[in-house]
Amino acid sequence: MNLAVFISGTGTNLKALIDAQNTKYFTSQINIVVSNKNAKGLEYARSNNIRCLISKDDDEIIDTLKKYDIDLIVLAGYLVKVSKKILDEFTVINIHPSLLPKYGGKGFYGMNVHNAVFDNKEKISGVTVHYVNENLDDGDIILQKKVDISKCTSAEEISKEVLKAEHKTLKEVIRKLEEEECAH
């Protein structure tokens, strides 16, 4: 599969995917990285000779993704709601730092999720990879992984534990989708 990875921040999930690609963990290729701003994570793409597009324009994004024959968009810390226009053209998956449907939806991203999990004294958190539809954090779940956070004493510690699981889970989902594609 030809992948487009969308990011808005530091790009650690992008780095995990690039590492998985470079070690042949999966056969898919990251053809382009898209960001809504000049995100720090674009450096991972540039240092691995992967094209970058910084744009907020749906038409420009769609045209570019079609040009590079993209099969799947992977949202990896992309903090913009994907438009219906893009969803109509491409299959999109997202990684979310909680066990959806808990701690999902408007306002629940990044540290907001981990703060809520910590404030509610949860003992288990986790990560969800799901298909993206028009409603935030609402699409069909592809894979969830639980993370024991019972020993975490802060939202920051929860964030670190969940991020480790994110890095593993996202590459597993790419491989799972490849296997499903081969089975058809």
Side-chain angles (χ1 to χ4, degrees):
M1 290 186 298
N2 293 325
L3 308 178
V5 181
F6 284 36
I7 66 169
S8 291
T10 57
T12 62
N13 274 311
L14 169 63
K15 182 185 183 307
L17 288 176
I18 291 170
D19 291 347
Q21 174 180 292
N22 290 344
T23 60
K24 309 277 188 258
Y25 181 86
F26 51 65
T27 58
S28 293
Q29 284 297 119
I30 301 166
N31 283 5
I32 190 164
V33 175
V34 177
S35 184
N36 57 309
K37 60 184 183 180
N38 192 13
K40 186 177 171 214
L42 291 172
E43 286 309 310
Y44 293 124
R46 290 182 183 118
S47 65
N48 282 275
N49 297 314
I50 298 169
R51 290 173 205 90
C52 297
L53 173 66
I54 300 169
S55 179
K56 294 179 186 174
D57 180 88
D58 284 349
D59 293 324
E60 180 183 19
I61 293 169
I62 290 167
D63 290 347
T64 304
L65 298 188
K66 283 182 173 178
K67 181 174 154 190
Y68 295 111
D69 202 23
I70 297 304
D71 300 304
L72 180 70
I73 295 173
V74 180
L75 306 183
Y78 188 62
L79 299 180
V80 177
K81 188 171 190 264
V82 178
S83 71
K84 181 173 178 356
K85 203 173 199 179
I86 290 175
L87 292 174
D88 287 345
E89 296 282 343
F90 298 97
T91 301
V92 184
I93 65 170
N94 179 48
I95 187 151
H96 186 79
S98 77
L99 295 172
L100 291 173
K102 277 184 145 181
Y103 307 106
K106 191 163 175 59
F108 281 110
Y109 59 88
M111 284 308 295
N112 295 356
V113 172
H114 305 304
N115 285 323
V117 167
F118 182 73
D119 291 345
N120 287 322
K121 299 177 178 42
E122 300 278 0
K123 299 292 176 226
I124 302 284
S125 188
V127 58
T128 303
V129 180
H130 64 94
Y131 287 104
V132 175
N133 63 24
E134 290 177 55
N135 304 313
L136 282 177
D137 301 328
D138 180 58
D140 291 343
I141 292 170
I142 303 166
L143 186 62
Q144 284 188 316
K145 289 278 175 79
K146 291 181 177 167
V147 177
D148 180 350
I149 54 165
S150 58
K151 292 180 175 61
C152 293
T153 59
S154 68
E156 288 71 26
E157 281 183 28
I158 293 170
S159 171
K160 285 186 180 122
E161 290 304 309
V162 170
L163 193 59
K164 284 184 219 164
E166 284 184 45
H167 294 163
K168 288 182 189 151
T169 306
L170 199 49
K171 70 182 184 180
E172 286 174 20
V173 166
I174 300 300
R175 190 147 85 181
K176 178 181 187 310
L177 293 175
E178 287 176 347
E179 289 164 3
E180 287 172 6
E181 193 176 79
C182 287
H184 285 95

